[in-house]
Amino acid sequence: MKMLLFLSVITVCLHLFTTQVSAECYSPSFNFASYTHPELLDLTTPPGSVIASFPVENVRSATVVQQPSYLETRIVGTDLQFLTTAAFAQYEEREIQTVIILQVSYQCTTTTKNGLYRHNLKLANNHAPSFLQDAYEAVVPLPLPKHFDVTPFIANGAGIMARDIDLINNAVTFSVTENDYMLIESHTVPNDPKQFKAILRLKEQVLKMPNKLELTVTATDAGVPQKSTQVSVVIDPDLSIVYDDPPVFKETFINTTIAKDLLLRVELIPGTETYDVQYSLQGTDAQYFTQTVWENNTGMDLKVIDLEPIPKAKPILNVVAVAKRSQLQATSCVVLVHIPPESDPEVPTTTVDKVLSVLHLNEMSEHRDIFPLTIESCTYSIQSQTPGDYFFIEDATIPSLSSKAFDREDKDLFSGLDFPQFWIVLKLACPVPSTTKTELESHTNWNRSGPMRDIEFSTDLTHLNIIVDDVNDNSPVFSFPPNDAQFAFPTAYLARKMLPDQLLQVEASDLDEGLNAVIRYSLAANDHFDIDPRTGVIFPLKSALGNEESVSLEIIATDRDGAEDGNVSKVKIRVCKATDEQLVVLTVKNIDPDTFESLLKEISLKQGIQMETVRNVFSVDGEELKVERRSTNQQYSTTTIVYAFKEDRLLPHDDLIGAFKSMDANFTMIFTKLNDLYAVQPKIVESDTTAIYPYIIVAAFFGTLVVAMGAAALYYRNKIRRANNSSTSSLSRSSNISDSIIVQHDHKAPSSTPPVENGGTHPITNARSLSDLLAIVEDAEQENEKTEPKPPAQQDRKKSIKFSDHVERIEVYDKYPTS
């Protein structure tokens, strides 16, 4: 009997279990917990289309949880269906993910299940770029300099923008129709991967534009096949701003002989004269002239007042006529009026055409027919030339001045000159008619040195000033870094704490002049570093050395400010990833900045290694920063992060410390491992206010650097004063960091000094080691370098910052002090 009762109970339980199981959601081909559809979903699928269907049992309803949803579900009979919604048509406009993930709640007969449904998208170039405006127009003021960006005058300062909503290959490149004024650049828009910006720049300086400039800008994406869109851009000169050419005299040198009622007409070149041009006469001899400006303001008359006041011994009158519209728009004409002595004969009928002639010749070329050497029956000869011996008369039968090739960059040739130039004196010799001795002696009363006497105001000499013009015959030369040099950069998680602002600063020079010597820097395409084209500072990108152990960078220097016809020089360097086991935090006492730099070079040379720094701070111990305070016992200290290469490998922490300890130094050195700097975790207490996280430490770090730079300036200023005046000494506190240009970072540095604990007022430069500066909470999973550190959830004590009355410091006090 008991056995029968037991079997009945077992039968009832099995029936109830079978009934319960049969009421669960079931499908032979669909996994309710997680399902990924094997086919790709076309983004051009119309709304309301069924994209997937599965046979199911015991499913009453299916609901998509998140909103907005691009897909929806429904139960039709025994089928579970997935459909596109009306919002699916805007997916590419709104989203960037290449897979749609739905969180679905399934209502079974007796229970509820939650699961994920994934559907990968079919990626194609469905859209051409679209401009944000149908047309663009800009009214620009003139004149404008070379490479000027006209964006501020387009679309209320927004510029030319285009958008490509494709999920992949949507990078837009802009081009512009061929024209004489504008070139175009393509740029991405931060925080919007689907929007791109075109920058229009002037090819050359533009003083005037004859009429409006009509351009067509084309935006082309990177899809396969490529798609493009065009827009009209009109650049119109601002007619309310008028640019007048600077005034220019027709003649810049007038050479004549004095005569009664001598009238000199000084006239401007047509087209350069305006009503606001002002004329003046300059020089000590201006007192002997009257000037009369013409009614149409295009020139003036110069007339000698009277011959009587002029001293008898005065051989020449020299004045400068000036026409000026502004300080930058002026022209001048030199006027020489010769006054021959009464005993001299009349001026010969054959004279030189020009007393002074200025010519321009290009370097590195031979030149012919530089200057004609005959006037009627008279012939020039070279009386002298300096520097060198480059000019000669090529053919005596048809004489003309020629030259050999010369190098403008020849420092020995042009030493002592303001700029590369030659001075040549040509003497005009005319045939002397045959005369008897008596006839010749009859002329001795006026020709005391012979028939061709060289007197001060003689008209048989021509001075040639040959100015050597530069040609782009030199390429940039790198002085730093050397080719195939190697450097190190911290790993990603260390870089986020140390905030290195640069890798290095490139230095190159060019022997040419002007634009030919203007160097623009660039880097070969890479995902790790970029370079400031003007300063040569190489700075890290967010993705610097993310996964790679080392990268090779090609640095390019192009003269002519990066023009296509500029000369190019290249160097290659290797950048290795440095971990905390290869970096040493070094604090050195009793050493000034100059001595510290010499120390690093000395260690590198002695140990056969290459030693570099990632960051360093120089400081001077003292109570306050006062330039006028004089002291002879200031204590310098240096805190820096150092690494070193030996051959092609980075030295480990212990070997690097050993290199320093090998030096017999009379100063104190303190060594710290980077990972020891992150050992202390700040305690956090629950509060309804916003939690203070390591941002206060970052603020302290940058505040210290700001003060350090100011102190460094004071230090070097006092150092120069001591060199100029040995009788007095004024030592100033100094603090120095890298002298590179600060480039843009995601971290914002406040312009303040670092906080000190518990409201203390110890000096700014007192014991601010990098362990203090870098005490940022290290993420529990620091090995994952791609993960940004997250703020802790709780803290026991909260620190606050306040400014004290002394500008030189920030005080930190406990908002919730412990008992």
Side-chain angles (χ1 to χ4, degrees):
M1 186 68 180
K2 291 182 179 179
M3 180 62 67
L4 292 175
L5 181 61
F6 176 74
L7 292 176
S8 299
V9 172
I10 292 298
T11 303
V12 171
C13 291
L14 289 174
H15 176 72
L16 292 175
F17 176 77
T18 303
T19 303
Q20 180 69 21
V21 171
S22 63
E24 293 290 336
C25 296
Y26 171 76
S27 173
S29 58
F30 183 76
N31 186 337
F32 291 94
S34 178
Y35 183 83
T36 301
H37 202 285
E39 298 180 359
L40 299 178
L41 175 57
D42 195 331
L43 286 165
T44 61
T45 303
S49 301
V50 177
I51 60 172
S53 181
F54 307 94
V56 296
E57 297 178 7
N58 304 325
V59 181
R60 293 183 177 181
S61 64
T63 305
V64 177
V65 176
Q66 74 268 25
Q67 294 295 333
S69 176
Y70 300 100
L71 301 179
E72 62 182 357
T73 58
R74 68 185 180 187
I75 302 296
V76 179
T78 60
D79 289 338
L80 169 64
Q81 294 181 350
F82 290 84
L83 306 87
T84 57
T85 66
F88 184 73
Q90 284 79 43
Y91 184 86
E92 291 175 288
E93 177 70 30
R94 301 173 180 175
E95 307 292 341
I96 61 174
Q97 300 296 328
T98 58
V99 57
I100 295 180
I101 303 177
L102 296 181
Q103 184 178 355
V104 185
S105 176
Y106 304 96
Q107 182 64 49
C108 306
T109 302
T110 58
T111 61
T112 299
K113 282 189 174 183
N114 294 321
L116 296 178
Y117 174 81
R118 300 177 180 86
H119 210 132
N120 292 302
L121 300 173
K122 181 179 180 181
L123 304 178
N125 193 22
N126 298 322
H127 306 276
S130 60
F131 288 95
L132 301 192
Q133 291 188 190
D134 296 334
Y136 293 92
E137 184 173 359
V139 178
V140 300
L142 295 178
L144 291 175
K146 181 180 179 181
H147 293 156
F148 184 83
D149 177 8
V150 300
T151 297
F153 304 102
I154 301 177
N156 294 324
I160 302 173
M161 308 284 283
R163 185 174 175 82
D164 191 326
I165 64 174
D166 289 315
L167 299 182
I168 61 169
N169 298 331
N170 64 344
V172 174
T173 302
F174 297 93
S175 59
V176 66
T177 50
E178 186 65 26
N179 66 94
D180 296 331
Y181 295 95
M182 296 288 177
L183 52 82
I184 198 166
E185 300 174 359
S186 305
H187 295 271
T188 58
V189 175
N191 303 322
D192 191 344
K194 297 187 178 183
Q195 193 156 304
F196 303 87
K197 185 174 184 178
I199 299 294
L200 284 175
R201 296 187 184 276
L202 292 176
K203 293 181 179 179
E204 300 292 342
Q205 182 183 19
V206 176
L207 302 179
K208 288 185 177 181
M209 289 178 61
N211 45 41
K212 66 174 57 178
L213 177 63
E214 297 182 358
L215 304 172
T216 299
V217 173
T218 303
T220 305
D221 63 18
V224 180
Q226 291 182 323
K227 293 184 177 181
S228 60
T229 307
Q230 293 184 334
V231 70
S232 173
V233 179
V234 177
I235 307 296
D236 203 358
D238 190 347
L239 299 181
S240 63
I241 301 176
V242 179
Y243 175 81
D244 294 317
D245 292 327
V248 180
F249 281 120
K250 286 184 177 180
E251 295 181 87
T252 58
F253 185 80
I254 297 177
N255 181 30
T256 186
T257 303
I258 199 167
K260 187 178 180 180
D261 299 328
L262 176 64
L263 180 67
L264 302 177
R265 297 175 61 84
V266 185
E267 182 180 2
L268 295 177
I269 294 177
T272 67
E273 77 281 5
T274 54
Y275 70 92
D276 56 344
V277 173
Q278 297 179 351
Y279 296 90
S280 62
L281 200 62
Q282 300 177 1
T284 57
D285 294 337
Q287 57 180 319
Y288 302 114
F289 291 84
T290 60
Q291 60 182 52
T292 304
V293 179
W294 302 349
E295 291 184 1
N296 58 7
N297 210 46
T298 61
M300 66 175 176
D301 291 334
L302 299 179
K303 186 176 180 181
V304 178
I305 300 175
D306 192 358
L307 299 181
E308 292 298 328
I310 301 175
K312 300 297 183 181
K314 193 172 183 62
I316 194 172
L317 296 179
N318 182 9
V319 293
V320 178
V322 177
K324 181 170 65 176
R325 181 179 296 115
S326 66
Q327 193 66 29
L328 299 178
Q329 292 188 332
T331 186
S332 61
C333 174
V334 177
V335 178
L336 295 180
V337 179
H338 296 275
I339 308 175
E342 296 179 356
S343 59
D344 279 357
E346 295 182 358
V347 178
T349 57
T350 303
T351 62
V352 298
D353 288 339
K354 294 182 178 180
V355 173
L356 173 64
S357 181
V358 180
L359 303 176
H360 289 259
L361 296 180
N362 286 337
E363 63 170 327
M364 308 306 293
S365 300
E366 295 181 350
H367 299 277
R368 298 292 181 267
D369 299 327
I370 298 174
F371 191 83
L373 298 180
T374 58
I375 299 177
E376 299 179 1
S377 60
C378 303
T379 305
Y380 278 112
S381 61
I382 300 177
Q383 179 168 301
S384 65
Q385 59 174 299
T386 185
D389 190 16
Y390 286 86
F391 295 86
F392 59 92
I393 299 174
E394 185 172 16
D395 189 352
T397 59
I398 310 177
S400 64
L401 189 64
S402 303
S403 78
K404 298 179 293 184
F406 38 78
D407 186 0
R408 183 188 171 280
E409 286 77 37
D410 188 340
K411 295 183 179 179
D412 294 334
L413 178 63
F414 299 109
S415 62
L417 300 177
D418 293 337
F419 53 87
Q421 57 181 320
F422 295 95
W423 283 94
I424 305 169
V425 179
L426 300 177
K427 185 176 180 63
L428 187 66
C430 299
V432 179
S434 59
T435 58
T436 65
K437 182 178 180 180
T438 303
E439 291 173 334
L440 185 60
E441 291 176 350
S442 65
H443 291 279
T444 57
N445 62 334
W446 63 271
N447 196 347
R448 294 177 291 272
S449 301
M452 293 302 296
R453 168 172 76 87
D454 184 12
I455 58 179
E456 186 177 355
F457 49 86
S458 172
T459 56
D460 63 350
L461 294 180
T462 292
H463 293 260
L464 290 183
N465 178 211
I466 307 295
I467 298 176
V468 182
D469 288 339
D470 182 52
V471 298
N472 195 21
D473 58 329
N474 292 282
S475 299
V477 176
F478 283 94
S479 57
F480 183 81
N483 195 32
D484 295 328
Q486 51 191 0
F487 299 89
F489 195 78
T491 59
Y493 82 93
L494 286 179
R496 286 193 294 270
K497 295 170 173 58
M498 295 161 51
L499 307 178
D501 54 5
Q502 70 176 51
L503 174 66
L504 56 92
Q505 183 170 13
V506 176
E507 295 179 2
S509 59
D510 195 304
L511 293 177
D512 292 316
E513 182 188 38
L515 180 62
N516 293 335
V518 177
I519 298 176
R520 180 176 287 264
Y521 299 101
S522 60
L523 286 181
N526 72 95
D527 298 328
H528 305 275
F529 295 91
D530 203 350
I531 190 170
D532 188 301
R534 296 292 184 188
T535 64
V537 171
I538 299 179
F539 54 89
L541 303 176
K542 288 184 178 180
S543 57
L545 296 177
N547 298 317
E548 292 79 358
E549 293 301 319
S550 67
V551 296
S552 179
L553 299 180
E554 184 178 59
I555 308 171
I556 304 167
T558 307
D559 60 16
R560 292 188 59 79
D561 200 14
E564 294 181 358
D565 58 345
N567 295 328
V568 176
S569 295
K570 301 177 181 179
V571 295
K572 289 185 177 180
I573 63 173
R574 185 170 72 99
V575 184
C576 299
K577 180 189 294 184
T579 66
D580 52 2
E581 292 299 325
Q582 296 159 332
L583 298 171
V584 170
V585 181
L586 170 65
T587 301
V588 182
K589 299 291 186 179
N590 304 334
I591 186 171
D592 59 65
D594 295 336
T595 308
F596 179 74
E597 293 178 5
S598 301
L599 172 66
L600 293 184
K601 294 179 181 178
E602 182 181 352
I603 296 176
S604 298
L605 183 62
K606 181 178 179 181
Q607 301 293 329
I609 60 178
Q610 175 195 343
M611 186 174 295
E612 304 288 348
T613 61
V614 178
R615 266 197 179 278
N616 53 66
V617 176
F618 299 110
S619 61
V620 179
D621 296 339
E623 291 301 322
E624 295 182 4
L625 287 174
K626 293 184 179 180
V627 178
E628 297 302 327
R629 178 180 178 181
R630 290 168 170 78
S631 175
T632 58
N633 58 354
Q634 288 181 326
Q635 300 298 311
Y636 298 97
S637 64
T638 300
T639 304
T640 182
I641 302 177
V642 186
Y643 67 87
F645 280 97
K646 185 163 187 177
E647 296 177 352
D648 292 333
R649 68 182 183 88
L650 281 166
L651 289 181
H653 180 271
D654 294 339
D655 291 352
L656 187 51
I657 292 178
F660 280 101
K661 290 184 176 180
S662 66
M663 300 297 296
D664 185 13
N666 57 352
F667 44 79
T668 304
M669 292 185 290
I670 303 173
F671 303 94
T672 310
K673 275 191 174 183
L674 276 179
N675 53 10
D676 294 339
L677 301 180
Y678 316 130
V680 180
Q681 300 286 344
K683 296 181 180 180
I684 300 174
V685 53
E686 292 184 356
S687 174
D688 57 353
T689 60
T690 303
I692 293 184
Y693 178 58
Y695 309 115
I696 183 173
I697 308 301
V698 175
F701 177 83
F702 279 102
T704 297
L705 293 185
V706 170
V707 175
M709 287 189 291
L714 299 180
Y715 163 75
Y716 285 110
R717 177 180 175 188
N718 268 18
K719 184 175 179 180
I720 295 174
R721 285 185 176 180
R722 292 197 304 270
N724 293 337
N725 188 0
S726 60
S727 62
T728 59
S729 63
S730 179
L731 297 178
S732 62
R733 295 165 174 79
S734 67
S735 172
N736 184 29
I737 61 172
S738 173
D739 59 352
S740 62
I741 292 178
I742 302 301
V743 296
Q744 182 175 353
H745 271 281
D746 293 335
H747 309 281
K748 305 299 182 183
S751 58
S752 63
T753 55
V756 296
E757 297 182 357
N758 300 326
T761 59
H762 50 51
I764 306 168
T765 58
N766 185 27
R768 298 301 300 175
S769 66
L770 284 184
S771 60
D772 296 322
L773 305 182
L774 302 180
I776 300 177
V777 178
E778 186 174 15
D779 192 274
E781 297 179 359
Q782 65 180 14
E783 295 302 324
N784 183 4
E785 298 177 356
K786 296 183 178 179
T787 304
E788 294 290 343
K790 297 180 180 180
Q794 296 181 346
Q795 62 178 5
D796 296 333
R797 178 180 298 173
K798 183 172 181 181
K799 301 272 187 173
S800 296
I801 301 177
K802 72 173 184 178
F803 284 94
S804 70
D805 294 335
H806 299 284
V807 180
E808 290 87 359
R809 66 178 183 271
I810 300 175
E811 297 180 356
V812 180
Y813 65 95
D814 289 342
K815 189 170 184 180
Y816 304 105
T818 57
S819 57

